[in-house]
Short mmCIF file of all heavy atoms in Angstrom, two decimals:
data_model
loop_
_atom_site.label_atom_id
_atom_site.label_comp_id
_atom_site.label_asym_id
_atom_site.label_seq_id
_atom_site.Cartn_x
_atom_site.Cartn_y
_atom_site.Cartn_z
N TYR A 280 -10.83 -46.52 22.54
CA TYR A 280 -10.52 -45.93 21.22
C TYR A 280 -9.66 -44.68 21.35
O TYR A 280 -8.83 -44.40 20.48
CB TYR A 280 -11.81 -45.65 20.45
CG TYR A 280 -12.23 -46.82 19.59
CD1 TYR A 280 -13.01 -47.84 20.11
CD2 TYR A 280 -11.82 -46.93 18.26
CE1 TYR A 280 -13.38 -48.94 19.35
CE2 TYR A 280 -12.18 -48.02 17.48
CZ TYR A 280 -12.95 -49.02 18.02
OH TYR A 280 -13.29 -50.12 17.25
N ARG A 281 -9.83 -43.93 22.43
CA ARG A 281 -8.96 -42.76 22.63
C ARG A 281 -7.51 -43.23 22.86
O ARG A 281 -6.57 -42.64 22.32
CB ARG A 281 -9.46 -41.91 23.80
CG ARG A 281 -8.49 -40.83 24.27
CD ARG A 281 -7.97 -39.97 23.11
NE ARG A 281 -8.92 -39.01 22.63
CZ ARG A 281 -8.88 -38.47 21.41
NH1 ARG A 281 -7.93 -38.85 20.54
NH2 ARG A 281 -9.77 -37.59 21.02
N LYS A 282 -7.34 -44.30 23.63
CA LYS A 282 -6.00 -44.83 23.87
C LYS A 282 -5.40 -45.39 22.57
O LYS A 282 -4.19 -45.26 22.32
CB LYS A 282 -6.06 -45.95 24.93
CG LYS A 282 -6.34 -45.42 26.33
CD LYS A 282 -6.63 -46.56 27.30
CE LYS A 282 -5.42 -47.46 27.48
NZ LYS A 282 -5.70 -48.55 28.45
N LYS A 283 -6.25 -45.97 21.74
CA LYS A 283 -5.79 -46.56 20.49
C LYS A 283 -5.42 -45.49 19.47
O LYS A 283 -4.48 -45.66 18.67
CB LYS A 283 -6.89 -47.47 19.94
CG LYS A 283 -6.47 -48.30 18.72
CD LYS A 283 -7.60 -49.22 18.33
CE LYS A 283 -7.25 -50.04 17.09
NZ LYS A 283 -8.38 -50.92 16.67
N TYR A 284 -6.16 -44.35 19.48
CA TYR A 284 -5.92 -43.25 18.52
C TYR A 284 -5.73 -41.94 19.30
O TYR A 284 -6.62 -41.08 19.34
CB TYR A 284 -7.10 -43.11 17.54
CG TYR A 284 -7.35 -44.35 16.72
CD1 TYR A 284 -8.35 -45.26 17.08
CD2 TYR A 284 -6.59 -44.61 15.58
CE1 TYR A 284 -8.58 -46.40 16.33
CE2 TYR A 284 -6.82 -45.75 14.81
CZ TYR A 284 -7.80 -46.64 15.20
OH TYR A 284 -8.01 -47.78 14.44
N PRO A 285 -4.58 -41.78 19.94
CA PRO A 285 -4.38 -40.63 20.86
C PRO A 285 -4.33 -39.27 20.16
O PRO A 285 -4.54 -38.25 20.81
CB PRO A 285 -3.04 -40.96 21.53
CG PRO A 285 -2.34 -41.86 20.55
CD PRO A 285 -3.41 -42.68 19.91
N GLU A 286 -4.04 -39.24 18.86
CA GLU A 286 -3.89 -37.94 18.17
C GLU A 286 -5.11 -37.57 17.34
O GLU A 286 -5.12 -36.50 16.71
CB GLU A 286 -2.64 -37.97 17.28
CG GLU A 286 -1.35 -38.15 18.06
CD GLU A 286 -0.13 -38.19 17.17
OE1 GLU A 286 -0.31 -38.14 15.93
OE2 GLU A 286 0.99 -38.26 17.69
N ALA A 287 -6.12 -38.40 17.31
CA ALA A 287 -7.30 -38.14 16.47
C ALA A 287 -8.18 -37.06 17.10
O ALA A 287 -8.30 -36.97 18.33
CB ALA A 287 -8.10 -39.42 16.28
N SER A 288 -8.81 -36.27 16.25
CA SER A 288 -9.79 -35.30 16.73
C SER A 288 -11.08 -36.04 17.09
O SER A 288 -11.26 -37.22 16.73
CB SER A 288 -10.08 -34.25 15.66
OG SER A 288 -10.73 -34.86 14.54
N LEU A 289 -11.98 -35.37 17.78
CA LEU A 289 -13.25 -36.00 18.13
C LEU A 289 -14.02 -36.43 16.89
O LEU A 289 -14.62 -37.51 16.86
CB LEU A 289 -14.10 -35.04 18.97
CG LEU A 289 -13.87 -35.03 20.49
CD1 LEU A 289 -14.82 -34.03 21.12
CD2 LEU A 289 -14.06 -36.42 21.09
N LYS A 290 -13.98 -35.59 15.86
CA LYS A 290 -14.68 -35.93 14.63
C LYS A 290 -14.07 -37.17 13.98
O LYS A 290 -14.80 -38.07 13.52
CB LYS A 290 -14.62 -34.74 13.66
CG LYS A 290 -15.42 -34.93 12.38
CD LYS A 290 -15.38 -33.67 11.52
CE LYS A 290 -16.22 -33.88 10.25
NZ LYS A 290 -16.19 -32.68 9.39
N GLU A 291 -12.73 -37.18 13.92
CA GLU A 291 -12.05 -38.34 13.34
C GLU A 291 -12.30 -39.59 14.17
O GLU A 291 -12.54 -40.68 13.63
CB GLU A 291 -10.54 -38.07 13.26
CG GLU A 291 -10.16 -37.00 12.25
CD GLU A 291 -8.72 -36.54 12.38
OE1 GLU A 291 -8.11 -36.75 13.47
OE2 GLU A 291 -8.20 -35.96 11.41
N LEU A 292 -12.26 -39.43 15.48
CA LEU A 292 -12.45 -40.58 16.37
C LEU A 292 -13.86 -41.15 16.26
O LEU A 292 -14.06 -42.38 16.28
CB LEU A 292 -12.15 -40.17 17.81
CG LEU A 292 -11.89 -41.32 18.82
CD1 LEU A 292 -10.70 -42.15 18.38
CD2 LEU A 292 -11.66 -40.75 20.21
N SER A 293 -14.86 -40.25 16.11
CA SER A 293 -16.24 -40.73 15.98
C SER A 293 -16.43 -41.51 14.68
O SER A 293 -17.14 -42.52 14.64
CB SER A 293 -17.22 -39.55 16.04
OG SER A 293 -17.03 -38.69 14.93
N SER A 294 -15.75 -41.05 13.60
CA SER A 294 -15.82 -41.76 12.32
C SER A 294 -15.16 -43.13 12.41
O SER A 294 -15.69 -44.13 11.90
CB SER A 294 -15.15 -40.94 11.21
OG SER A 294 -15.80 -39.71 11.03
N ILE A 295 -13.99 -43.17 13.05
CA ILE A 295 -13.25 -44.44 13.20
C ILE A 295 -14.08 -45.43 14.03
O ILE A 295 -14.23 -46.61 13.66
CB ILE A 295 -11.89 -44.19 13.88
CG1 ILE A 295 -10.97 -43.40 12.95
CG2 ILE A 295 -11.23 -45.52 14.26
CD1 ILE A 295 -9.71 -42.88 13.63
N LEU A 296 -14.61 -44.96 15.15
CA LEU A 296 -15.38 -45.84 16.03
C LEU A 296 -16.63 -46.36 15.32
O LEU A 296 -16.95 -47.56 15.42
CB LEU A 296 -15.76 -45.06 17.30
CG LEU A 296 -16.14 -45.88 18.54
CD1 LEU A 296 -15.82 -45.08 19.81
CD2 LEU A 296 -17.62 -46.26 18.53
N SER A 297 -17.32 -45.49 14.59
CA SER A 297 -18.53 -45.90 13.86
C SER A 297 -18.18 -46.95 12.81
O SER A 297 -18.91 -47.93 12.62
CB SER A 297 -19.18 -44.69 13.20
OG SER A 297 -19.60 -43.75 14.16
N MET A 298 -17.05 -46.75 12.10
CA MET A 298 -16.65 -47.66 11.03
C MET A 298 -16.23 -49.01 11.58
O MET A 298 -16.61 -50.07 11.06
CB MET A 298 -15.50 -47.03 10.23
CG MET A 298 -15.11 -47.81 8.99
SD MET A 298 -13.69 -47.04 8.18
CE MET A 298 -14.31 -45.40 7.87
N GLU A 299 -15.44 -49.02 12.66
CA GLU A 299 -14.88 -50.26 13.18
C GLU A 299 -15.88 -51.08 13.99
O GLU A 299 -15.78 -52.31 14.05
CB GLU A 299 -13.63 -49.97 14.01
CG GLU A 299 -12.47 -49.43 13.18
CD GLU A 299 -11.17 -49.38 13.95
OE1 GLU A 299 -11.14 -49.84 15.12
OE2 GLU A 299 -10.16 -48.90 13.37
N THR A 300 -16.82 -50.40 14.64
CA THR A 300 -17.79 -51.13 15.47
C THR A 300 -19.11 -51.37 14.77
O THR A 300 -19.91 -52.20 15.20
CB THR A 300 -18.07 -50.36 16.78
OG1 THR A 300 -18.70 -49.11 16.47
CG2 THR A 300 -16.77 -50.12 17.55
N GLY A 301 -19.36 -50.58 13.70
CA GLY A 301 -20.64 -50.69 13.01
C GLY A 301 -21.76 -50.01 13.75
O GLY A 301 -22.93 -50.12 13.37
N LYS A 302 -21.42 -49.30 14.82
CA LYS A 302 -22.43 -48.57 15.59
C LYS A 302 -22.18 -47.08 15.42
O LYS A 302 -21.10 -46.59 15.74
CB LYS A 302 -22.34 -48.95 17.08
CG LYS A 302 -22.65 -50.42 17.36
CD LYS A 302 -22.47 -50.74 18.82
CE LYS A 302 -20.99 -50.83 19.19
NZ LYS A 302 -20.79 -51.31 20.58
N SER A 303 -23.17 -46.37 14.90
CA SER A 303 -23.01 -44.94 14.60
C SER A 303 -22.88 -44.13 15.88
O SER A 303 -23.66 -44.31 16.83
CB SER A 303 -24.20 -44.45 13.78
OG SER A 303 -24.07 -43.07 13.51
N ILE A 304 -21.90 -43.26 15.91
CA ILE A 304 -21.70 -42.37 17.06
C ILE A 304 -21.30 -41.00 16.53
O ILE A 304 -20.42 -40.87 15.68
CB ILE A 304 -20.62 -42.91 18.02
CG1 ILE A 304 -20.33 -41.92 19.16
CG2 ILE A 304 -19.33 -43.23 17.29
CD1 ILE A 304 -21.42 -41.83 20.17
N THR A 305 -21.95 -39.96 16.97
CA THR A 305 -21.65 -38.60 16.51
C THR A 305 -20.53 -38.00 17.35
O THR A 305 -20.18 -38.52 18.44
CB THR A 305 -22.89 -37.70 16.62
OG1 THR A 305 -23.24 -37.59 18.00
CG2 THR A 305 -24.05 -38.27 15.82
N LYS A 306 -19.99 -36.90 16.86
CA LYS A 306 -18.96 -36.17 17.61
C LYS A 306 -19.52 -35.71 18.95
O LYS A 306 -18.85 -35.81 19.99
CB LYS A 306 -18.50 -34.98 16.77
CG LYS A 306 -17.53 -34.05 17.47
CD LYS A 306 -17.20 -32.86 16.58
CE LYS A 306 -16.38 -31.82 17.33
NZ LYS A 306 -16.10 -30.64 16.49
N SER A 307 -20.77 -35.24 18.93
CA SER A 307 -21.40 -34.78 20.16
C SER A 307 -21.59 -35.92 21.15
O SER A 307 -21.35 -35.78 22.36
CB SER A 307 -22.75 -34.14 19.83
OG SER A 307 -23.44 -33.76 20.99
N GLY A 308 -22.01 -37.08 20.62
CA GLY A 308 -22.20 -38.25 21.49
C GLY A 308 -20.90 -38.72 22.11
O GLY A 308 -20.86 -39.09 23.29
N LEU A 309 -19.83 -38.69 21.31
CA LEU A 309 -18.52 -39.10 21.82
C LEU A 309 -18.02 -38.11 22.88
O LEU A 309 -17.45 -38.52 23.91
CB LEU A 309 -17.53 -39.18 20.65
CG LEU A 309 -16.19 -39.85 20.93
CD1 LEU A 309 -16.37 -41.29 21.41
CD2 LEU A 309 -15.33 -39.83 19.67
#
Side-chain angles (χ1 to χ4, degrees):
Y280 269 87
R281 169 50 76 202
K282 289 170 64 179
K283 188 176 178 182
Y284 300 99
E286 297 180 357
S288 66
L289 274 181
K290 185 176 181 180
E291 291 168 340
L292 197 60
S293 65
S294 298
I295 292 169
L296 200 153
S297 298
M298 187 183 302
E299 293 190 4
T300 65
K302 297 177 285 187
S303 179
I304 176 72
T305 64
K306 175 183 172 182
S307 176
L309 192 58

